[in-house]
Amino acid sequence: MSGSVGVHALVRRAHEERVLAILRERGGLSRAQISARSGLSRTTLSEITGELLARGAIVVVNTDAQLRAGSGRPAELLALDPRSGQFLGVDLGHTRARVAVADAAHEIIASGVEEYPPGSSWPWRLAAGVDLVDRIAREQGINLAALQGIGVGVAGPYPAGGSRADVLAAFASRFSAPVIVDNNTRFAALAEASDLGEPGGAVDAGDVLYVRLADGIGGGLVVGGRLVSGASGAAGEFGHVKVDPAGGVCRCGKRGCLETVAALRPALAAAGVRDLAELAARREEPRVRAAMDRVADALGRVLADAALILNPGQIVIGGPLPHAVPAIVARAGAVIAAELISVGAGPLIRAARLGDDDGARGAITACFRQSPLLADYPGAAFPAPASRTAVPVPRTPGSSS
Amino acid sequence: MSGSVGVHALVRRAHEERVLAILRERGGLSRAQISARSGLSRTTLSEITGELLARGAIVVVNTDAQLRAGSGRPAELLALDPRSGQFLGVDLGHTRARVAVADAAHEIIASGVEEYPPGSSWPWRLAAGVDLVDRIAREQGINLAALQGIGVGVAGPYPAGGSRADVLAAFASRFSAPVIVDNNTRFAALAEASDLGEPGGAVDAGDVLYVRLADGIGGGLVVGGRLVSGASGAAGEFGHVKVDPAGGVCRCGKRGCLETVAALRPALAAAGVRDLAELAARREEPRVRAAMDRVADALGRVLADAALILNPGQIVIGGPLPHAVPAIVARAGAVIAAELISVGAGPLIRAARLGDDDGARGAITACFRQSPLLADYPGAAFPAPASRTAVPVPRTPGSSS
């Protein structure tokens, strides 16, 4: 009878999310006030708040004894525990680890970053990620005893001898919570898609195509609000779509892949600059512009083909290259629009909004959605679907990845 | 409290599917036998069978009075009603309408096809579809009074002045059941993905990329077991991916789209043949082979790019062109495999299994999944997920579309 058990858990989780959404709006409410706002019965609410108190998600902040003096037991006021980390997101990049911690209402309450020493081994990177979590918790006064879920994004591919199992083992042995592991660029895609539930972002983010121009070119797809992993976990390989049959040899062995034109190294070489800072400084010079136009044209063609097939609502272009040269996004957008002219309404094409913590944020978002009951359940059945999936944190669009 | 109402309906529907799956395996069971096989309590089962009897999905086929003579009320034996249409699938193509009717356990119990007179108007095609349903019901003795859902696939795009609303109106006014409307090629994709739950098809069909080479080139994507419509309902436009920047002008206004090479008319012209029959007969001749190789190469490149991005478990190639020249599938498959060599395990690449009734079958499959409660609910929570989504009908792989 797993179906029935699951259904009860589903109802309880929906109620819990409703209570948390109310407490995020305003802390310090009595059960009577929460009951009035949520429409939940006192009995049901009492069960829910008991559970949330027990796992440390909420706390009793006060009693209004002064108001109720002499009239019996004072009503307890409840609020989110601002120090209780409930969800942990970790991004293990090639050069640094990033960590973010969220409370029960999905607000980021602590975060941090640490660069690895050059040449750090895979075990070292894993250990650095775990240590960084501990340090952040200690320094920022976060209690991790009640973690509900851990998401770890890893820059692909795994190094020789490394595997997903290592990641699961490293984090599951240190923290007692379920761990999910995925590609960090894919998590970034989820973060970009989810962030739009916030005020000011009134766009439907159910179908998002995200691509990231960095040392390599990866991407992520969100279809119907869900991250697409693909049949063998390899979805999002934009970098190896062919853009020039006569082009240079790619690290993958094929010729003329998008990466041979639009990844960081060939793009810098074509522009005749040493690094991103020089690229940004000289981006108006003819040679640099011509090289970046070529990047944008190749990128635009690949994204246009993908958009014809997937019909996304948004195309998000991120990574250090377009961050240094924003004109890449505009020009790729023009190419996409021209190719989609026959299709009618095209997608919104925009630069990524989030900074270098996008992978860690997306890992947290994936945790919220990880519940097998919630993940695939239609949002319409929930009273407050927006609060369930969005990661409402202050945006840091200016930070470099 | 829509959440709770929804959850109760979900549980009931899961139980109902379990009972129907048991009765599909073997009709003529008593409630005690169904209870023993389903694990449902007598009380719960009594509610479920009462509901199924009331809506005509099952019938009392017999009583075993002879076995129970003198021992009280004889036990009723229940079975699926073989004449009660519960789901209706209609495919309104450019040249003909196709209809299929399924019983409560998702078996096809009646079907038929009717060609339109040349030049038939849109209203005429709609009326022909409705009339065909009536005729099939009458001639094949099907009762449509208890329809649970109607799926109508339409060959896109809508003609001038025509719309989805016309389809909804035509079918909803004639039959009292919810109507869903989508592109018929997309429904065909769903049918190809779902059909594999059957014996002999042991492949995971959760991620399928389907393309159809006909007068135009359309396709459908099934991602995580669900049909992808896209943000504005335009997903699957494989035909307008560019394969040759210097190529011919497409009907969409762009140059060098896949359709300019691999749609029926240019493919026949390049091969120097008049029609599909001549194409099939002369397919080993050098000129015809060269033309079909060009079709396969262009198709393979487009599908390879799509596969890099989506990482499907299967790529299914259908439509009259590869049906006439099966070598197209093999050669396109080789191109795809070569392009995916860097990715690791590639998809299964195969010809479509279903015939011309794929759109009508997919429309029925979409009906099963249409319930907002079932559609997105993870299969794992159900005792018999396979029976819930597959369309278990005899295959007719040889029939032409």
Side-chain angles (χ1 to χ4, degrees):
Chain A
M1 300 296 286
S2 63
S4 301
V5 172
V7 163
H8 293 145
L10 177 72
V11 173
R12 179 180 305 214
R13 174 87 184 251
H15 290 164
E16 193 178 295
E17 292 288 334
R18 205 183 319 191
V19 171
L20 291 168
I22 288 164
L23 288 176
R24 187 173 67 191
E25 288 289 310
R26 196 197 125 190
L29 295 174
S30 68
R31 286 184 182 77
Q33 289 170 314
I34 299 170
S35 173
R37 289 172 193 218
S38 65
L40 297 173
S41 73
R42 295 295 294 268
T43 312
T44 299
L45 183 63
S46 185
E47 281 175 33
I48 299 293
T49 56
E51 167 77 24
L52 289 171
L53 283 165
R55 72 170 212 237
I58 63 173
V59 286
V60 177
V61 287
N62 204 345
T63 61
D64 59 351
Q66 66 280 15
L67 299 174
R68 303 276 305 273
S71 68
R73 193 163 68 96
E76 288 179 337
L77 299 186
L78 303 173
L80 291 171
D81 183 346
R83 301 287 89 191
S84 177
Q86 298 275 315
F87 300 96
L88 171 62
V90 181
D91 178 352
L92 297 175
H94 285 300
T95 61
R96 54 98 194 102
R98 266 265 178 198
V99 167
V101 184
D103 67 11
H106 308 176
E107 302 256 14
I108 303 285
I109 55 172
S111 62
V113 62
E114 182 159 302
E115 295 199 356
Y116 314 131
S120 296
S121 68
W122 170 241
W124 205 99
R125 281 158 58 185
L126 277 177
V130 172
D131 289 349
L132 178 61
V133 176
D134 277 331
R135 180 164 69 76
I136 286 168
R138 197 170 58 245
E139 292 179 358
Q140 300 182 37
I142 301 300
N143 172 19
L144 296 177
L147 276 184
Q148 298 298 301
I150 302 171
V152 185
V154 180
Y158 289 101
S163 77
R164 187 169 170 278
D166 304 337
V167 186
L168 290 171
F171 284 86
S173 66
R174 175 64 190 80
F175 307 101
S176 52
V179 182
I180 55 175
V181 180
D182 206 331
N183 179 278
N184 62 354
T185 302
R186 212 175 282 151
F187 278 152
L190 187 60
E192 285 286 347
S194 305
D195 200 42
L196 296 176
E198 292 186 69
V203 187
D204 171 14
D207 292 273
V208 175
L209 200 156
Y210 172 83
V211 68
R212 180 178 164 81
L213 305 186
D215 294 324
I217 298 177
L221 315 173
V222 177
V223 170
R226 296 194 301 175
L227 203 52
V228 175
S229 291
S232 60
E237 284 282 0
F238 292 93
H240 301 289
V241 173
K242 191 164 286 186
V243 293
D244 180 4
V249 175
C250 183
R251 64 186 169 106
C252 77
K254 296 193 301 177
R255 273 195 179 276
C257 295
L258 179 62
E259 280 201 2
T260 65
V261 175
L264 206 47
R265 187 192 300 256
L268 293 178
V273 299
R274 278 158 310 186
D275 55 25
L276 283 163
E278 189 183 348
L279 181 74
R282 295 174 55 192
R283 66 192 181 201
E284 298 302 332
E285 294 178 16
R287 178 177 173 185
V288 176
R289 287 182 63 160
M292 294 305 107
D293 285 354
R294 187 161 178 246
V295 165
D297 291 348
L299 176 66
R301 284 199 304 276
V302 170
L303 291 175
D305 290 351
L308 279 166
I309 294 166
L310 283 160
N311 184 214
Q314 288 185 48
I315 295 178
V316 180
I317 300 172
L321 200 57
H323 185 73
V325 186
I328 290 172
V329 177
R331 186 170 171 120
V335 172
I336 296 166
E339 289 292 324
L340 297 187
I341 197 143
S342 54
V343 177
L348 170 70
I349 300 154
R350 65 171 175 87
R353 300 175 193 225
L354 299 171
D356 183 51
D357 61 347
D358 52 2
R361 287 183 190 204
I364 288 176
T365 307
C367 285
F368 308 153
R369 302 190 178 190
Q370 179 64 6
S371 159
L373 290 164
L374 272 180
D376 296 345
Y377 204 77
F382 283 83
S387 70
R388 181 167 58 88
T389 51
V391 189
V393 286
R395 284 181 192 140
T396 56
S399 67
S400 161
S401 50
Chain B
M1 299 296 287
S2 62
S4 300
V5 172
V7 163
H8 293 144
L10 178 71
V11 172
R12 178 179 305 212
R13 175 87 185 251
H15 291 164
E16 193 177 294
E17 292 289 334
R18 204 183 321 189
V19 171
L20 291 169
I22 289 164
L23 289 176
R24 188 173 65 191
E25 289 289 310
R26 195 196 124 192
L29 296 174
S30 70
R31 286 182 183 79
Q33 289 170 313
I34 298 170
S35 174
R37 290 172 191 217
S38 65
L40 296 173
S41 72
R42 295 296 295 268
T43 311
T44 299
L45 183 64
S46 184
E47 281 175 34
I48 299 293
T49 56
E51 168 75 25
L52 290 170
L53 282 165
R55 73 169 211 235
I58 63 174
V59 286
V60 177
V61 287
N62 206 345
T63 62
D64 60 351
Q66 65 279 18
L67 300 174
R68 301 277 304 275
S71 68
R73 193 163 69 94
E76 289 180 336
L77 298 186
L78 303 173
L80 290 172
D81 183 346
R83 300 288 90 191
S84 177
Q86 298 275 315
F87 300 97
L88 170 63
V90 181
D91 178 352
L92 297 176
H94 285 300
T95 61
R96 53 97 194 101
R98 267 263 179 202
V99 167
V101 183
D103 67 12
H106 309 175
E107 303 255 15
I108 303 285
I109 55 173
S111 62
V113 62
E114 183 159 302
E115 296 201 355
Y116 315 129
S120 295
S121 68
W122 170 241
W124 205 99
R125 281 157 59 186
L126 278 176
V130 173
D131 289 349
L132 179 60
V133 175
D134 277 331
R135 180 164 67 76
I136 286 168
R138 197 171 57 246
E139 291 178 359
Q140 301 181 39
I142 301 299
N143 172 18
L144 296 177
L147 275 183
Q148 298 298 301
I150 301 170
V152 185
V154 181
Y158 289 101
S163 76
R164 186 168 171 279
D166 304 337
V167 185
L168 290 171
F171 284 87
S173 67
R174 175 64 191 80
F175 308 101
S176 52
V179 181
I180 56 175
V181 180
D182 205 331
N183 178 278
N184 62 353
T185 303
R186 211 174 283 152
F187 278 151
L190 187 60
E192 285 286 345
S194 306
D195 200 41
L196 297 176
E198 291 187 71
V203 187
D204 171 14
D207 292 273
V208 175
L209 200 156
Y210 171 83
V211 67
R212 179 177 165 81
L213 305 185
D215 293 324
I217 299 177
L221 315 173
V222 177
V223 171
R226 296 194 299 173
L227 203 53
V228 175
S229 292
S232 60
E237 283 282 0
F238 293 92
H240 301 290
V241 173
K242 191 164 285 183
V243 293
D244 180 3
V249 174
C250 182
R251 64 187 168 107
C252 78
K254 296 195 298 175
R255 274 197 179 274
C257 295
L258 179 62
E259 278 200 2
T260 65
V261 175
L264 207 47
R265 187 192 300 256
L268 293 177
V273 299
R274 277 159 310 186
D275 56 24
L276 283 163
E278 188 182 349
L279 181 74
R282 296 174 54 193
R283 66 191 179 199
E284 298 302 332
E285 293 178 15
R287 177 178 173 184
V288 176
R289 287 183 63 159
M292 293 305 108
D293 284 355
R294 186 161 178 247
V295 165
D297 290 349
L299 176 66
R301 284 198 303 278
V302 170
L303 292 175
D305 290 350
L308 279 165
I309 294 167
L310 282 160
N311 183 215
Q314 288 185 49
I315 295 178
V316 180
I317 300 172
L321 199 57
H323 186 73
V325 186
I328 290 173
V329 177
R331 186 169 171 119
V335 172
I336 296 167
E339 289 291 324
L340 297 187
I341 198 145
S342 54
V343 177
L348 170 71
I349 300 154
R350 65 171 175 87
R353 301 177 191 222
L354 299 171
D356 184 50
D357 60 347
D358 51 2
R361 287 184 189 203
I364 288 175
T365 307
C367 286
F368 307 153
R369 301 190 179 191
Q370 178 64 7
S371 159
L373 290 163
L374 272 181
D376 297 344
Y377 204 79
F382 282 85
S387 71
R388 182 166 58 87
T389 51
V391 189
V393 286
R395 286 185 189 135
T396 55
S399 67
S400 160
S401 49

